[in-house]
Amino acid sequence: MLMKFGDISNAENVFFEMNTKDIITYGTMMQGLLENKLYEKALDIFKQMPFKPNEIILTILFKICSEFTNEQTFQLAKNMFNEMPKIFYEKLSLINSYIHMLMKFGEISDSEKLFFLIENKDTTSYTVMMNGYNMNNKPEECLKIFKQMQEKNIVADEITYIIILNACSQIGLLSIYEPIVNKIPSNLLKHHRLQAILIDMWGKVGHVDKALKIFEHIEKPDVMIYTAMINAFGLNGKGHEAIDLYRQMPIDIQNEFTHISVLNACSHSGLISEAQSIFNNIQVKTKRITTVMVDCMSRMFMFDEAQKIIDDFELSHPPGFVMYMALLSAARNHRNSIISEKIYNRMKNLFPQKKQGLIAASVLLSNTYLSIGEDEKAKEIRFKRLSEIGKNKIVGITWTEVNGEVVQFKAHDHSHPRSKEIYAEITRISTELKENGHQYDSKWITREINDNESIESVLCGHSEKLAIAYNFIQQPIPNIIHATKNLRICGDCHSAIKLIVKIRQRPIIIRDANRFHHFDINGQCSCQDHF
Ligand SMILES: [Zn+2]
Ligand SMILES: [Zn+2]
């Protein structure tokens, strides 16, 4: 009871002073500490318990263990699971909580095996599995489980829909949203969290009207909903609407995310003085808020002002990597090699430990030189990057959806059953590209070329090209080709796709780590080459 009100130390005192503690007392204490996010203490109580754990204790234990990341805790949970009586396999909550823990530790195949064995799967079993796939960057698997759930007529609840919509939002393909949204029962649509996610989602796919329709039907929007709507306006270039809504909402419920959303909205619409006045009025300027403001100034190429904001921030905080990335990326768009070089050198000094980040920064720097035709300098930077920092370890992945099925491609992926046809199509596309003047350029290759490869074969193996080729071997070919990439699109893919849409007369929409690219059949991209 005490724990429900967060009165931890009192509850602990009572617990330790009790002379006779039974297994229920231990369970209650563990549960209370878990709910109050005191995981270490909760685990200690378990370790002190002199009884053989029953199913309830184990269920709580797996929930506690899933909050840890160390191998030791994982082994403890695994041992407890292996030693428990076989009859416990029929206890659904216990199995669900164990699967959740396995997924948290990235043990996907063990989770799958266990999930497959459950005979009477309930809503939670499916939801835990779906959530696990999302956590492990496999949103396409999450969709598959949702489909199975529907086929088995298992009722989806609010949480299930939140998770499935999160998967959709990771994949970012409009065609898969709509059928799922249409399935949401009207009673669930009243939940604020679900409403906020829907507003967010419609905003992300460019349907701000649909987002607004949901918003207008909500009687008393909370901070999540206001923020989602401000963000939806911002993403769709409606900066003034975003500011109006921000000013309308009660000040006492605004939080960090609300401030970030409105500043982003100003930034995307180029409303600099509005952004400055909002920023100046924010009481607590967190790292994230400051980063957005730096990004806002940088986009307008106001480098001195952006630097001033960084300097002010650093008076009382350690430097933030992302702020410098915003500055560097703007300098690249401005084709300003002097500023780029200055920022990059400062980053190398400030963040020597951020290897992956410095690789991305160095790619931006070499791209700046490429954009002003200084290819030799760019090559030199690339060479330095490989020798000083190392290779980029993040693998590029592209998702595309064809006939209701989401397919994932890695670079040089041969795992798809129709791989042969895909590569034959790539060869055809590549021939057409070259006939239309496309030149493959080694400057877009960020790794060493092996003996059995050519510049063309390396660039043609990029995951977004494979995903596009896969669309072109469909009967019929989709009217619009959609794909989502986890990293930024490279320069070769960008210019190749501009030609492909023109040659094949199919629009292609790609969402990359940075933004949307709408490639129109006239050969233009909506980003105006700011990729
Ligand atoms: Zn590429
Ligand atoms: Zn583009």
Side-chain angles (χ1 to χ4, degrees):
M1 190 63 197
L2 287 168
M3 302 280 262
K4 284 259 177 281
F5 299 103
D7 190 353
I8 312 293
S9 59
N10 247 339
E12 278 181 306
N13 286 341
V14 172
F15 178 79
F16 286 116
E17 277 164 20
M18 281 168 91
N19 288 328
T20 45
K21 294 186 267 268
D22 59 9
I23 195 161
I24 298 174
T25 321
Y26 277 94
T28 315
M29 194 64 202
M30 283 166 65
Q31 178 69 27
L33 290 166
L34 169 69
E35 281 167 14
N36 285 284
K37 298 192 166 66
L38 295 164
Y39 310 120
E40 295 274 359
K41 284 189 173 177
L43 195 59
D44 282 344
I45 298 288
F46 171 77
K47 288 177 183 165
Q48 289 163 21
M49 190 182 74
F51 309 107
K52 215 174 161 46
N54 61 18
E55 49 165 300
I56 297 169
I57 296 281
L58 286 178
T59 309
I60 302 171
L61 173 72
F62 298 145
K63 283 184 190 162
I64 295 168
C65 291
S66 72
E67 300 296 336
F68 288 81
T69 49
N70 61 53
E71 188 58 28
Q72 221 181 342
T73 313
F74 179 59
Q75 277 309 327
L76 168 84
K78 232 178 151 174
N79 293 342
M80 294 317 295
F81 185 80
N82 291 335
E83 286 164 16
M84 74 185 192
K86 291 291 163 259
I87 183 101
F88 284 4
Y89 275 83
E90 286 161 25
K91 309 292 179 192
L92 212 45
S93 324
L94 184 151
I95 299 294
N96 289 343
S97 99
Y98 189 64
I99 291 182
H100 173 68
M101 191 210 73
L102 286 175
M103 280 296 203
K104 274 293 255 311
F105 279 90
E107 300 286 328
I108 300 173
S109 68
D110 280 358
S111 312
E112 284 167 344
K113 274 181 217 147
L114 200 54
F115 179 72
F116 184 74
L117 286 176
I118 308 174
E119 276 175 13
N120 51 338
K121 298 182 188 70
D122 64 358
T123 305
T124 313
S125 318
Y126 282 97
T127 308
V128 160
M129 204 59 196
M130 286 164 58
N131 192 33
Y133 280 127
N134 278 358
M135 282 190 294
N136 286 287
N137 258 328
K138 287 179 168 283
E140 69 285 354
E141 297 297 326
C142 172
L143 291 176
K144 280 186 199 156
I145 299 287
F146 182 67
K147 233 184 220 168
Q148 283 176 24
M149 188 177 177
Q150 303 272 300
E151 283 159 10
K152 298 247 158 73
N153 285 323
I154 307 285
V155 181
D157 61 12
E158 178 208 354
I159 310 219
T160 320
Y161 279 107
I162 288 172
I163 290 168
I164 190 71
L165 291 174
N166 274 332
C168 292
S169 150
Q170 269 190 54
I171 298 169
L173 303 173
L174 176 63
S175 47
I176 56 169
Y177 283 146
E178 282 203 289
I180 289 173
V181 172
N182 292 338
K183 277 189 193 129
I184 305 176
S186 53
N187 62 322
L188 291 185
L189 281 172
K190 291 191 188 89
H191 287 278
H192 274 188
R193 237 178 107 194
L194 204 55
Q195 288 166 330
I197 286 184
L198 283 170
I199 291 173
D200 180 63
M201 195 195 76
W202 287 125
K204 278 193 182 137
V205 290
H207 284 267
V208 71
D209 50 328
K210 291 195 180 178
L212 192 58
K213 215 171 142 193
I214 296 174
F215 180 80
E216 283 170 346
H217 279 91
I218 302 170
E219 230 171 80
K220 211 167 172 272
D222 62 9
V223 60
M224 242 176 358
I225 289 171
Y226 271 114
T227 304
M229 194 62 226
I230 290 172
N231 209 28
F233 279 136
L235 284 175
N236 290 281
K238 293 180 180 290
H240 287 292
E241 284 88 339
I243 296 171
D244 286 347
L245 189 59
Y246 176 77
R247 299 216 189 281
Q248 268 171 42
M249 76 182 278
I251 291 176
D252 57 322
I253 64 167
Q254 290 175 351
N255 65 19
E256 187 186 19
F257 296 108
T258 326
H259 300 314
I260 289 173
S261 297
V262 75
L263 289 175
N264 264 329
C266 294
S267 173
H268 283 285
S269 302
L271 302 171
I272 292 296
S273 58
E274 287 85 348
Q276 275 169 322
S277 115
I278 289 171
F279 182 71
N280 290 338
N281 280 314
I282 296 172
Q283 297 296 319
V284 185
K285 294 178 178 63
T286 63
K287 188 168 167 182
R288 282 189 281 203
I289 291 174
T290 312
T291 304
V292 175
M293 197 57 199
V294 169
D295 184 50
C296 183
M297 304 311 257
S298 308
R299 276 166 188 265
M300 303 306 287
F301 305 137
M302 298 164 74
F303 295 108
D304 292 339
E305 289 83 349
Q307 188 61 56
K308 170 90 177 49
I309 295 171
I310 293 183
D311 293 343
D312 286 348
F313 177 79
E314 287 178 4
L315 287 177
S316 48
H317 301 84
F321 187 84
V322 188
M323 288 181 205
Y324 286 91
M325 276 304 267
L327 212 53
L328 189 60
S329 136
R332 201 256 341 228
N333 289 343
H334 199 233
R335 300 176 176 219
N336 192 326
S337 61
I338 298 167
I339 293 188
S340 297
E341 190 86 41
K342 217 172 86 186
I343 301 165
Y344 178 68
N345 286 332
R346 195 152 172 213
M347 289 171 86
K348 269 206 318 199
N349 288 332
L350 287 173
F351 313 100
Q353 76 290 5
K354 287 216 182 258
K355 283 203 164 187
Q356 287 297 333
L358 284 176
I359 290 174
S362 148
V363 171
L364 279 177
L365 179 64
S366 53
N367 285 351
T368 311
Y369 280 107
L370 286 177
S371 69
I372 52 172
E374 290 195 32
D375 292 15
E376 280 310 309
K377 183 79 186 158
K379 268 188 193 154
E380 194 185 299
I381 294 166
R382 206 184 81 204
F383 183 74
K384 253 193 179 169
R385 172 168 71 234
L386 287 170
S387 58
E388 283 176 15
I389 328 178
K391 286 183 188 170
N392 189 354
K393 289 212 177 54
I394 303 172
V395 185
I397 298 176
T398 300
W399 291 281
T400 188
E401 189 252 330
V402 173
N403 296 329
E405 204 201 346
V406 177
V407 191
Q408 169 188 314
F409 291 96
K410 291 192 183 117
H412 303 283
D413 205 329
H414 278 86
S415 64
H416 196 276
R418 296 182 68 186
S419 195
K420 253 195 170 157
E421 293 168 72
I422 295 171
Y423 279 91
E425 184 64 23
I426 284 273
T427 309
R428 277 190 291 274
I429 292 175
S430 185
T431 310
E432 289 168 28
L433 281 172
K434 285 184 287 184
E435 282 167 3
N436 283 274
H438 185 70
Q439 286 177 346
Y440 291 104
D441 194 327
S442 63
K443 69 187 178 192
W444 298 114
I445 300 178
T446 51
R447 62 171 174 88
E448 291 305 309
I449 301 177
N450 300 325
D451 287 344
N452 57 347
E453 293 177 322
S454 65
I455 295 170
E456 179 178 340
S457 78
V458 172
L459 291 170
C460 281
H462 282 185
S463 60
E464 50 271 62
K465 291 204 185 80
L466 298 180
I468 289 170
Y470 181 64
N471 274 272
F472 278 117
I473 60 167
Q474 302 303 316
Q475 287 294 343
I477 299 164
N479 289 332
I480 301 175
I481 295 172
H482 288 269
T484 303
K485 167 133 203 231
N486 65 336
L487 305 174
R488 282 184 183 212
I489 190 168
C490 84
D492 180 72
C493 286
H494 199 270
S495 53
I497 296 171
K498 288 205 302 192
L499 272 176
I500 295 170
V501 285
K502 211 168 158 188
I503 300 167
R504 299 276 178 111
Q505 289 292 298
R506 291 281 152 167
I508 297 178
I509 300 175
I510 298 205
R511 189 181 89 179
D512 73 359
N514 196 33
R515 63 182 307 144
F516 273 101
H517 300 268
H518 291 255
F519 295 92
D520 201 61
I521 50 171
N522 62 15
Q524 304 284 319
C525 179
S526 61
C527 76
Q528 283 158 10
D529 298 338
H530 286 305
F531 51 85

